[in-house]
Amino acid sequence: MTTTRYAWFPGLDRLAIGLSGLCVVHCLASAVLLAMLSTVGGLLADPIFHEVGLTIAIGLGAVALGRGVMAHGYIMPVAMGSLGLGIMAGAITLPHDAGHAETIWTVIGVGLLAMGHDLNRRAIA
């Protein structure tokens, strides 16, 4: 199977990994800001911010990881990325006032998603 057919956007996995990094920064910054400044932290902890971010992550993950499995045929990147997205979706359902559980699970999910994108990128290259 040739990879040139699916090389229409070679930086898609790198972009997804970068967005995963921004998500981790957002989660950790939200927790710190929420602890320090309740007004700014409340703005960053708005549920719509997380819902839009998760929607973008799901769309980008579906396109990038789906493109990869069509190009190289390996399931592991999709499985890893899907597990990460599932954990992120589960974390968004946790209450914000339940300690740091939401942040911890989101960071774990983002890490798994980024790992899936990295596996995908390496398999295509």
Side-chain angles (χ1 to χ4, degrees):
M1 195 178 315
T2 180
T3 60
T4 57
R5 179 177 175 202
Y6 300 101
W8 56 272
F9 193 29
L12 197 57
D13 286 306
R14 284 191 183 111
L15 174 66
I17 291 169
L19 287 175
S20 294
L22 287 175
C23 182
V24 169
V25 169
H26 162 76
C27 290
L28 296 175
S30 293
V32 169
L33 286 174
L34 189 60
M36 293 174 56
L37 304 167
S38 62
T39 55
V40 175
L43 177 65
L44 291 175
D46 189 7
I48 192 69
F49 190 84
H50 296 118
E51 292 164 5
V52 169
L54 181 62
T55 302
I56 292 170
I58 289 171
L60 192 59
V63 172
L65 296 171
R67 173 190 56 93
V69 78
M70 296 299 290
H72 53 64
Y74 299 124
I75 296 297
M76 183 56 79
V78 173
M80 184 75 67
S82 297
L83 177 62
L85 285 170
I87 290 173
M88 289 166 60
I92 206 170
T93 66
L94 296 173
H96 288 303
D97 58 353
H100 299 292
E102 180 191 14
T103 301
I104 291 168
W105 282 110
T106 300
V107 169
I108 290 170
V110 167
L112 290 171
L113 177 59
M115 196 180 314
H117 282 296
D118 188 52
L119 289 172
N120 197 45
R121 184 184 58 82
R122 291 172 189 244
I124 289 176

